[in-house]
Amino acid sequence: MDQPPIPFDLARMFLGDAPPLFFLEILVRTLIVYIYTMGLIRWIGGRGVAQLSMVEFLLVIALGSAVGDAAFYPDVPLLHALAVITIVVLLNKGLDWLILHYDTAKRTIDGVPVAIVEDGRLLRAGMEQRSIGAAEVISSLRQNGVRNLGEVEHAFMEGDGVMSIFRFNDPRPGLQIVPPAEVRRPAALTDPAVAPEGKACCLGCGTLEEAVAVLPDGLCPECGGCEWTAPVTRPAHKAE
C-alpha cells in the first residue's frame, strides 16, 4: 500500500525521484506538446482564439497545465513544473521575436487573412479554406450590423478568427439577411418577369445574376445553388 506523502518534504517537492537527466526529457516533452498543440490550433483556423494571438493562446494552455499539475499532484516536483513554465515562456518570447522580424514566421504562426465576402456575395473558396459555413458568416455579419449582403464590399477572416468588414459607401442590391432565414425565409423568385431590375439573388451565397439566365431553377455559378430570391436594397441612413 502506498505511503501517504510527507508534508513539506523538500526533496519530494522540488526534485522527486527522477534523475537530473530527466530535465532534458522535460524539454523534449514540452517542445513536442507545444508544436503539436500549435499545429492543431492552426488546423482549426484560429476561430477559438478570438481576442488572443496564437502565441498568447498557446501560452495560456501550456502554463495552465504546468501550474495546475504542480499545484494539485504531490508526485509532480516543483522544479519539473518550473522547468516547463520556463521553457514555455522562452518559446513564446522566441516566437514573438520571429514574428516581429520575419514575415514568413508571422504568416506561418498567426495565419493570413482570407477573403470570405466580395461585392456582396459569399466566397465558397474562402469559407472552405477556413472550414466555416455560410450560416456562420452571415451570423457574424448580422452581429456587426449588416442587414443585407449588398452592403458588404469586402469581408476577411483574419488569422486570429476575427472578421474584418468593409462596406460600400452606397447600398447595393443583395441578399437580405435580417431577419435570419431560420426566422423568415426570403420569398422564392421563379418568374423573370417580376424580378426587380431584371436581377435574381442566390439564396445560398448572395450572387446576383440576370434573372432570365437563371430562373426558374438555374444553378448559381458561385455556390451551385438553385434557389433564387429578389434582391433588396437597404435604404441609406439620412443625416440627422
Side-chain angles (χ1 to χ4, degrees), residues 9-24:
D9 180 355
L10 297 183
R12 173 185 54 77
M13 287 175 60
F14 285 93
L15 296 175
D17 300 324
L21 191 60
F22 186 65
F23 284 98
L24 180 59

Side-chain angles (χ1 to χ4, degrees), residues 25-194:
E25 182 178 332
I26 288 176
L27 172 62
V28 175
R29 285 169 176 260
T30 304
L31 288 172
I32 291 173
V33 172
Y34 191 93
I35 294 171
Y36 179 72
T37 305
M38 175 180 286
L40 287 179
I41 294 174
R42 290 290 296 114
W43 179 60
I44 66 175
R47 283 186 288 163
V49 180
Q51 301 304 316
L52 297 178
S53 70
M54 184 73 67
V55 173
E56 291 168 340
F57 190 64
L58 285 168
L59 182 64
V60 170
I61 294 175
L63 291 185
S65 176
V67 172
D69 288 350
F72 288 103
Y73 299 110
D75 57 340
V76 177
L78 288 178
L79 285 183
H80 294 178
L82 293 176
V84 171
I85 293 170
T86 303
I87 293 169
V88 169
V89 171
L90 291 176
L91 277 172
N92 277 265
K93 294 298 290 184
L95 291 176
D96 283 337
W97 186 86
L98 289 173
I99 290 171
L100 181 63
H101 290 87
Y102 297 99
D103 289 338
T104 301
K106 178 175 176 57
R107 290 193 296 270
T108 301
I109 296 169
D110 284 341
V112 295
V114 174
I116 55 175
V117 182
E118 184 177 85
D119 292 335
R121 73 182 190 280
L122 303 178
L123 300 179
R124 181 173 57 178
M127 293 190 296
E128 289 178 351
Q129 184 174 342
R130 281 300 181 89
S131 300
I132 183 173
E136 190 172 351
V137 174
I138 290 174
S139 175
S140 295
L141 292 173
R142 280 197 299 266
Q143 293 172 24
N144 283 275
V146 176
R147 296 173 175 269
N148 185 320
L149 282 183
E151 300 175 36
V152 183
E153 182 178 12
H154 297 286
F156 303 95
M157 185 66 72
E158 303 291 347
D160 59 2
V162 175
M163 186 182 296
S164 300
I165 301 170
F166 300 88
R167 293 173 167 85
F168 285 110
N169 292 329
D170 298 315
R172 298 189 177 193
L175 178 64
Q176 182 175 329
I177 60 175
V178 174
E182 295 81 3
V183 175
R184 187 171 72 236
R185 189 172 180 80
L189 180 65
T190 58
D191 186 358
V194 298

